Amino acid sequence: MEVKLLSCTNHASKIVATAAKIAVTPGKAIEIFDSIKEDKKADEVVERVLGYGHMSISEHVSFNFGIQDVSLVVETFLISHRLASYTIRSGRYTSFDDDNLFVPEFRFNSYVDDDTKVKAKELYKDFAKHAFSEYNYFLEKGIKPEDARFCLPYGVKTNIYFTVNARELIHVISAALHGRGKRNAEIVKLGERLLKLGKEVLPTVFKDVERYELGQEEKVDRLNEIFTRHEMQDVERQTRAIVELIDYEEDAERKVGVLALINQFNCDTAYAQMRANDTDILKEILEIVCNDKRKRELEQISYTFRMNNLTLPILKHIMRHRMQSILIPSFVQVGKSKTYSTPPSMEENDQSEEIIERYKKVHEMGRELYEKLEAMDVRKEDLAYTYLMGDEVCDVVTTMNARELYHFLSLRTCTRAQWAIRDIALSMLKKLKEVAPYIFSLAGPNCYSKGKCTEGKMSCKQMDEVAKQIKEL
């Protein structure tokens, strides 16, 4: 693992000290900044204000990190923090090789001898070597990298650009060292590297991250004390649909119409409600709102979805959308999935029978590896590296407002979207049209909603066909 601070805000400590003083010091903003000296006295002011819980003063300093040679386990942990920006190596357009593998120092729940430790690593490396060999075979047979990767383990290395302000960085570090990441050695190492770099820039702010991050992350353990996972998961599910719409406002369209009138005219609420009761008027209002670039009224209504049987690549697509409230189960607690997803491109290939058989074999071997290491008493956190990208690792619940759904659907219903996330997005749009047909009548890929393809040379050039598909949902 390598973590490098590529850049950060100039005069970082001075800016934080200025922010600490500006609320209570006479004078103008620039004058106060110019008067601040970066000395012990300024540090004392910063420490005192942070001690009061006013962490916002640290938000004025941003860090740009380059992070390389970390596993997908670390990547998933990192991008779960939504108040930051990430650009990550794409598994859709770049290929992997044997050098792209992180091999954990497997830890055990009880004492084992050195031979057992060596054997655990050798089992993992042997399986990974076979998985990479099959990955290359799939590529040779014309399977795209985005689908061939479904046979690779979570130990695959990735590279990340990570931009974050100091306040959120404190939260990330705390979660890595003292929260949900503390049982994973690789995540702890990331937290230690980030903390070291943070202290070099803002020693006063980062000298005691636990002081600012109060509370415990014990939810998983405490729920397990009350309910057994066996009890909860063995209950027969009512549905195995790819997407479930769990909750929504039944009168959402009328609400949007009322709010649009109040916001525009500052009119009486009862009068706005009366006018929005006219269906023709309401349709006209909704058309105006949904065609507008600034769809603020749509932010007032939310929809909660459950997305089932997600693989890691699909989960990453969903997590890239920052304006949502998302619940992601712990991979460690869920354990190794017994099911996996088979990309359609493998089934459609001229040599599909052999390809699918070999793909199935990789997953069978992955299951065997997991069970062998589990029998050797390897810690659950380290067993996560044996998961494969094609494993259907979890179900996710997310709540988005209607404006964010417009954005999500514009990207994920496009024919350029990865096939599985597109299936999910189309299913979501179909359900939204059923409960709020006027609000979501314009939702869909940009070629449909805006009448213009934004994919440039990568355009599918099928605007009419796509528009027909969206209309027929």
Side-chain angles (χ1 to χ4, degrees):
M1 177 192 300
E2 185 173 352
V3 182
K4 183 176 181 179
L5 179 59
L6 305 177
S7 67
C8 69
T9 305
N10 292 329
H11 310 294
S13 60
K14 188 173 182 178
I15 286 176
V16 174
T18 302
K21 294 190 71 174
I22 196 169
V24 295
T25 302
K28 298 182 179 180
I30 297 174
E31 292 174 352
I32 296 173
F33 175 79
D34 291 339
S35 69
I36 294 287
K37 294 181 179 180
E38 298 181 56
D39 54 18
K40 185 177 180 181
K41 187 175 181 181
D43 289 343
E44 289 174 352
V45 172
V46 170
E47 189 170 357
R48 184 169 65 250
V49 172
L50 290 175
Y52 294 152
H54 300 305
M55 295 296 296
S56 61
I57 64 171
S58 62
E59 295 177 19
H60 300 286
V61 175
S62 293
F63 297 80
N64 303 101
F65 295 102
I67 302 174
Q68 62 189 41
D69 294 333
V70 294
S71 73
L72 298 181
V73 174
V74 169
E75 177 191 311
T76 306
F77 165 81
L78 189 61
I79 65 176
S80 68
H81 296 85
R82 292 181 295 133
L83 300 181
S85 298
Y86 311 92
T87 301
I88 300 171
R89 173 185 177 175
S90 173
R92 296 187 69 189
Y93 305 111
T94 60
S95 57
F96 300 98
D97 54 51
D98 291 347
D99 293 334
N100 287 118
L101 182 70
F102 171 80
V103 180
E105 295 290 338
F106 287 109
R107 299 165 301 163
F108 299 80
N109 295 310
S110 56
Y111 172 79
V112 297
D113 56 33
D114 290 341
D115 289 343
T116 302
K117 294 177 183 178
V118 172
K119 182 180 179 182
K121 291 181 70 171
E122 290 304 315
L123 285 171
Y124 181 74
K125 288 193 288 187
D126 288 346
F127 168 76
K129 183 177 180 180
H130 176 73
F132 273 106
S133 174
E134 294 300 89
Y135 169 76
N136 289 321
Y137 163 79
F138 295 141
L139 292 179
E140 291 170 3
K141 296 301 179 182
I143 303 300
K144 295 179 180 179
E146 68 173 341
D147 292 343
R149 63 179 167 164
F150 274 43
C151 72
L152 295 178
Y154 278 26
V156 166
K157 291 180 182 178
T158 187
N159 299 287
I160 306 168
Y161 286 121
F162 172 42
T163 299
V164 63
N165 69 43
R167 183 178 188 177
E168 182 65 7
L169 182 56
I170 288 173
H171 180 61
V172 172
I173 292 169
S174 178
L177 299 181
H178 312 294
R180 60 189 180 279
K182 66 182 180 182
R183 294 188 178 94
N184 179 285
E186 192 187 7
I187 293 174
V188 169
K189 184 177 290 187
L190 173 67
E192 291 171 344
R193 301 281 174 85
L194 292 173
L195 179 58
K196 181 177 182 293
L197 294 170
K199 284 182 175 179
E200 291 174 0
V201 176
L202 289 172
T204 304
V205 173
F206 286 93
K207 74 176 184 178
D208 189 4
V209 296
E210 281 189 279
R211 178 183 179 190
Y212 311 124
E213 288 285 323
L214 302 177
Q216 300 294 323
E217 293 187 4
E218 298 177 342
K219 179 173 55 181
V220 171
D221 294 334
R222 295 191 65 185
L223 284 172
N224 282 339
E225 291 172 1
I226 303 173
F227 305 99
T228 66
R229 185 162 295 275
H230 176 78
E231 169 199 351
M232 299 303 291
Q233 290 188 331
D234 277 2
V235 175
E236 184 176 354
R237 293 194 182 186
Q238 298 300 310
T239 177
R240 293 298 296 171
I242 185 174
V243 171
E244 300 172 49
L245 179 56
I246 293 178
D247 192 37
Y248 62 95
E249 295 184 47
E250 294 189 6
D251 204 19
E253 296 189 321
R254 182 172 174 273
K255 179 179 178 180
V256 170
V258 170
L259 295 178
L261 293 176
I262 292 174
N263 184 52
Q264 176 64 28
F265 300 108
N266 199 29
C267 60
D268 179 74
T269 301
Y271 182 75
Q273 292 172 335
M274 182 268 292
R275 296 306 304 269
N277 284 336
D278 186 315
T279 302
D280 292 334
I281 291 177
L282 179 59
K283 287 182 183 179
E284 195 169 353
I285 295 171
L286 293 176
E287 182 181 1
I288 293 170
V289 169
C290 294
N291 265 309
D292 199 77
K293 183 179 180 181
R294 196 167 182 260
K295 303 175 177 63
R296 277 292 174 85
E297 293 84 357
L298 297 190
E299 295 175 18
Q300 311 301 317
I301 55 172
S302 297
Y303 297 82
T304 299
F305 288 94
R306 174 172 176 163
M307 306 173 187
N308 295 315
N309 305 326
L310 300 188
T311 61
L312 179 63
I314 310 314
L315 179 59
K316 287 165 58 179
H317 282 295
I318 295 168
M319 290 171 70
R320 288 188 185 128
H321 293 265
R322 319 312 295 166
M323 304 299 292
Q324 62 174 315
S325 297
I326 188 167
L327 296 174
I328 304 170
S330 165
F331 293 164
V332 172
Q333 293 297 320
V334 170
K336 172 78 170 174
S337 172
K338 295 181 180 179
T339 60
Y340 58 88
S341 179
T342 302
S345 62
M346 293 187 178
E347 298 172 337
E348 297 164 0
N349 191 279
D350 292 340
Q351 301 179 47
S352 60
E353 187 173 342
E354 181 181 357
I355 287 173
I356 291 175
E357 184 60 32
R358 293 177 69 156
Y359 178 69
K360 177 183 177 182
K361 183 65 176 177
V362 176
H363 278 275
E364 289 175 350
M365 292 174 66
R367 162 59 60 179
E368 292 172 3
L369 171 66
Y370 176 87
E371 291 174 350
K372 286 179 181 179
L373 294 178
E374 186 180 37
M376 294 166 68
D377 208 22
V378 170
R379 291 188 186 180
K380 292 189 294 184
E381 291 76 22
D382 296 346
L383 288 174
Y385 291 96
T386 69
Y387 300 178
L388 304 188
M389 288 197 221
D391 287 346
E392 295 175 339
V393 289
C394 65
D395 301 344
V396 162
V397 174
T398 185
T399 298
M400 299 185 197
N401 67 48
R403 184 178 184 181
E404 179 60 18
L405 280 166
Y406 257 80
H407 173 63
F408 178 89
L409 295 168
S410 72
L411 298 174
R412 306 305 175 186
T413 58
C414 175
T415 57
R416 289 273 305 123
Q418 195 269 357
W419 57 269
I421 191 65
R422 186 168 190 262
D423 287 346
I424 288 172
L426 289 172
S427 180
M428 290 170 66
L429 180 54
K430 183 177 187 299
K431 293 181 182 299
L432 290 167
K433 283 175 172 285
E434 289 170 356
V435 299
Y438 299 124
I439 286 179
F440 291 100
S441 62
L442 298 177
N446 287 322
C447 64
Y448 174 78
S449 62
K450 296 183 174 65
K452 179 180 179 181
C453 177
T454 55
E455 294 297 320
K457 293 181 180 180
M458 293 185 175
S459 171
C460 70
K461 297 180 174 58
Q462 298 176 338
M463 285 181 60
D464 292 341
E465 292 86 343
V466 172
K468 181 180 178 182
Q469 180 186 20
I470 299 300
K471 286 180 180 178
E472 290 178 351
L473 284 175

